[in-house]
């Protein structure tokens, strides 16, 4: 039990990596507050799975692109559980689109959800942790795409580099409060975000062929690394970025 009686908040946790991280935290003894955008059934299922593990859970609806969502989420968690120990910024979108004719609204929505949303959420969680006075752990779900590009992801990869950079800067800003800030950099993980993209058989085979461990990732592959960074096992880890990609990044030839 690495997170016994900790309170963990996860954004975008009605499915995919966020849901796996929320349930993974509960498996390690945490009570969990999840933010979700619109998938009521997915959010209810995450709550039910956490409660089945004997932990408490709440689901709070909100669009992370709206500034006020962040404080409302933190307030709801504090009202339910009394504190915030761990904050996982996970919510994100990746509407694949070519560069030369990128619609401004697609670019701006991606920035607002992935980067602005992360900024306001992390700020709200950090203020709560500072007020509590006993430190905390913040983890951003960045991406291998913080380090490498994607021709159909010119609006997306800068947001992932941005949240990685945000963790580096907040690690400095919040170190004196005992708040650690790190990012995980997933490779290609099969979730709703890339269902359509990976439906292309040739693309799917190319992507899995690039991975030394021989398979695409699953949401649960992120749960362990996130729980580790959240836990006291990572007490002296801050400003770090952990690739969770089956070895894809280092596979040049
Ligand atoms: N699946 C992959 O290959 C990779 C995913 N990531 C990142 O992991 C994170 C989670 O994505 P996945 O689980 O893969 O996909 P997903 O589509 O299953 O999950 C994304 C979650 O974010 C939520 N969300 C989207 N817009 C939101 C908004 N405005 N407000 C609140 N919630 C919102 C969605 O409802 C969903 O629950 C994202 O930040 C993504 O960029 C990073 C690297 C690889
Ligand atoms: C959604 C993509 O399949 C996925 O997102 C990322 O961040 C990875 O780099 C993959 O491109």
């Amino acid at each position: 039990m690495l997170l016994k009686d900790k309170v963990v908040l996860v954004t975008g946790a009605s499915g995919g990596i966020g849901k796996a991280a929320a349930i993974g935290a509960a498996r390690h003894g945490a009570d969990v507050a999840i933010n979700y955008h619109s998938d009521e059934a997915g959010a209810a299922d995450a709550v039910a799975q956490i409660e089945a593990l004997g932990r408490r859970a709440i689901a709070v609806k909100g669009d992370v692109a709206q500034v006020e969502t962040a404080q409302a989420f933190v307030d709801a968690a504090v009202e339910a559980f009394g504190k915030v120990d761990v904050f996982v910024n996970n919510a994100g979108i990746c509407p694949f689109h070519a560069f030369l004719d990128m619609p401004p609204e697609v670019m701006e929505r991606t920035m607002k959800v992935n980067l602005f949303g992360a900024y306001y959420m992390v700020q709200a969680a950090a203020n709560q942790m500072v007020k509590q006075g006993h430190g905390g752990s913040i983890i951003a779900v960045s991406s291998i795409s913080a380090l490498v590009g994607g021709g159909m992801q010119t609006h997306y990869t800068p947001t992932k580099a941005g949240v990685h950079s945000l963790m580096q800067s907040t690690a400095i800003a919040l170190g004196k409060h005992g708040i650690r800030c790190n990012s995980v950099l997933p490779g290609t993980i099969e979730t709703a975000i890339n269902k359509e993209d990976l439906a292309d058989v040739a693309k799917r085979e190319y992507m899995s062929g690039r991975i030394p461990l021989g398979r695409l990732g699953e949401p649960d592959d992120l749960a362990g690394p996130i729980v580790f960074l959240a836990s006291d096992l990572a007490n002296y880890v801050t400003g770090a970025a952990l690739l969770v990609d089956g070895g894809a990044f280092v596979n040049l030839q």
Side-chain angles (χ1 to χ4, degrees), residues 1-203:
M1 288 276 177
L2 293 178
L3 300 176
K4 184 91 184 92
D5 297 330
K6 300 276 189 199
V7 173
V8 175
L9 277 61
V10 187
T11 65
S14 56
I17 293 169
K19 188 175 189 175
I23 294 166
R27 223 175 263 135
H28 278 273
D31 294 323
V32 185
I34 67 164
N35 149 272
Y36 71 102
H37 185 230
S38 49
D39 180 1
E40 307 278 350
D45 183 62
V47 167
Q49 288 200 52
I50 291 164
E51 289 176 346
L53 290 164
R55 301 309 310 187
R56 296 178 292 166
I58 58 164
V60 185
K61 189 170 186 164
D63 177 351
V64 300
Q66 308 281 332
V67 182
E68 59 276 11
T69 300
Q71 195 58 53
F73 181 39
V74 170
D75 288 348
V78 172
E79 194 184 327
F81 306 132
K83 60 175 182 164
V84 174
D85 297 306
V86 175
F87 178 77
V88 182
N89 192 87
N90 167 76
I93 56 172
C94 182
F96 287 79
H97 202 289
F99 175 56
L100 293 177
D101 61 348
M102 175 70 68
E105 60 275 16
V106 174
M107 196 278 282
E108 284 169 24
R109 177 71 184 163
T110 306
M111 293 281 173
K112 279 187 184 154
V113 172
N114 296 7
L115 184 54
F116 292 19
Y119 193 99
Y120 296 127
M121 276 285 180
V122 168
Q123 188 184 43
N127 270 306
Q128 177 61 32
M129 290 172 181
V130 170
K131 194 157 77 182
Q132 293 167 186
H134 54 77
S137 173
I138 296 175
I139 298 137
V141 180
S142 172
S143 173
I144 188 175
S145 299
L147 310 177
V148 290
M152 299 290 278
Q153 295 174 304
T154 57
H155 51 326
Y156 172 79
T157 61
T159 69
K160 293 286 127 178
V163 295
H164 164 57
S165 169
L166 177 64
M167 289 300 97
Q168 292 180 324
S169 288
T170 54
I172 301 166
L174 299 172
K176 60 176 173 288
H177 300 288
I179 300 169
R180 298 182 294 103
C181 301
N182 297 288
S183 55
V184 288
L185 277 52
T188 300
I189 314 297
E190 289 201 81
T191 67
I193 208 170
N194 51 25
K195 198 171 183 342
E196 210 177 303
D197 188 50
L198 294 175
D200 175 341
V201 176
K203 170 90 183 262

Side-chain angles (χ1 to χ4, degrees), residues 218-240:
E218 299 163 8
D220 219 33
D221 290 323
L222 270 300
I226 289 171
V227 167
F228 162 70
L229 288 171
S231 79
D232 291 347
L233 285 183
N235 250 346
Y236 200 56
V237 182
T238 196

